[in-house]
Amino acid sequence: MEESGEYRVTRSKGRGPGRKIRKVIFRHLDEAPARRFYERTPPADGYIIALWRPDGTLIVSTNGLAQPAS
């Protein structure tokens, strides 16, 4: 992901967070609010949710598989 001055949470459809087609669904200057948003975003089948640093490096991402109901 390209550099910016913000932490970003993205959603992309595909096989991994490195896919080029992604939509920024949250952005913030601080990591804590961005991480909270990432953690509260429910997984959806076929979609990768990822948290990125301002320098464009990946912090964490989902695997694109929805969790089974418990």
Side-chain angles (χ1 to χ4, degrees):
M1 173 155 261
E2 60 282 338
E3 290 188 35
S4 87
E6 304 164 314
Y7 287 88
R8 289 153 296 165
V9 178
T10 61
R11 179 180 63 212
S12 61
K13 189 164 179 74
R15 300 188 182 275
R19 302 275 304 179
K20 293 291 183 194
I21 301 170
R22 64 177 79 90
K23 179 180 179 183
V24 175
I25 56 175
F26 185 84
R27 63 182 77 224
H28 201 280
L29 294 173
D30 297 321
E31 181 179 355
R35 186 172 288 277
R36 281 192 301 271
F37 183 87
Y38 168 82
E39 291 170 354
R40 284 184 283 165
T41 303
D45 249 355
Y47 286 92
I48 308 297
I49 307 297
L51 175 59
W52 302 86
R53 290 185 182 95
D55 67 2
T57 57
L58 180 65
I59 297 174
V60 66
S61 69
T62 63
N63 63 10
L65 301 174
Q67 302 295 322
S70 48

